[in-house]
Amino acid sequence: MQKDKDIIDELQETGGKKYNEKIKQTIENYKNLSDKDKNCLHIYYGYGKGKTTAVMGLAMRAIGAGKKVAIVQFDKGYDGQNEHYSERHILRKLKEIGYPIEIYPTGCERMNKDGTFRFKNQEEDFAEAKRGLKIAKDLLESGKYDVIILDEAVAAVAYHLLKKEDVEELVDIFLKNKNCEFIMTGHKIWDTLEEKADLITEMRKVKHYFDAGIPAREGIEF
């Protein structure tokens, strides 16, 4: 935090001269990297709101730049009729009109009719997690996409739907090929992921309106 304050102070005092010099040097260094080394592993994690929101925004930005995007969502299934995740409406519409986006929802129905959730895992939940894992492997090995997002892949480990080794295998495939930007979300990370990631952002709950009686709302939380 002190480092961030020092940067702000320097910007205010010198008009950002040192920081702009650093930006220029970073841009020059980036030009000399191989195409593979320009691709990075992002992890957005934590118990605060905003992880899926962040990666969906990143997906929109990438699509807008003409990049081919694939999204696999773990434990966020779709039965073909009851769609609980509003972002998928617009993603499907973008695909229909020709934008380069593929979305793969996996998982079983978790939402009860009264708005509560089913937390206990069933056999079908494990099967769906494995299906998502297979899709993710195929996408990473295909070389067809510029950006691959695995929403809740890390969370699937916390929920015991996948093992740490499953996620680490995906990371190893990425590191071997490095032919795309690779992004994952979840609640908890571990040392191996932290060591291999290029960017880690923690979404930390400071205050949440759920505690004041505001439930998850369509178009805001889902």
Side-chain angles (χ1 to χ4, degrees), residues 16 22 28 53 59 67 78 100 113 171 186 189 204 208 215:
K22 182 178 180 180
E28 286 303 312
T53 304
K67 296 183 181 296
Y78 175 56
K113 291 182 179 180
V171 171
I189 59 172
R204 183 174 64 87
H208 200 302

Side-chain angles (χ1 to χ4, degrees), residues 62-74:
I63 294 167
K67 296 183 181 296
K68 295 180 180 179
V69 177
I71 301 171
V72 184
Q73 290 188 300
F74 287 80

Side-chain angles (χ1 to χ4, degrees), residues 76-84 88 92 105-109:
K76 290 184 173 180
Y78 175 56
D79 62 6
Q81 295 180 336
N82 302 303
E83 180 56 271
H84 300 304
R88 296 202 294 230
R92 292 191 184 99
T106 69
C108 299
E109 181 64 78

Side-chain angles (χ1 to χ4, degrees), residues 104-123:
Y104 302 90
T106 69
C108 299
E109 181 64 78
R110 291 272 189 183
M111 187 173 288
N112 299 317
K113 291 182 179 180
D114 62 359
T116 60
F117 285 87
R118 171 182 63 83
F119 288 100
K120 187 175 181 180
N121 290 329
Q122 300 174 349
E123 287 187 16

Side-chain angles (χ1 to χ4, degrees), residues 49-64:
K49 170 179 164 58
K51 298 175 290 295
T52 298
T53 304
V55 298
M56 291 303 157
L58 193 155
M60 293 298 105
R61 178 179 290 160
I63 294 167

Side-chain angles (χ1 to χ4, degrees), residues 179-196:
N179 52 17
C180 66
E181 202 81 0
F182 184 34
I183 299 135
M184 296 191 291
T185 71
H187 292 111
K188 295 173 66 177
I189 59 172
W190 52 95
D191 290 346
T192 304
L193 288 187
E194 187 170 345
E195 290 169 3
K196 294 182 178 181

Side-chain angles (χ1 to χ4, degrees), residues 40-56:
C40 298
L41 168 59
H42 310 216
I43 300 176
Y44 299 86
Y45 85 103
Y47 288 94
K49 170 179 164 58
K51 298 175 290 295
T52 298
T53 304
V55 298
M56 291 303 157

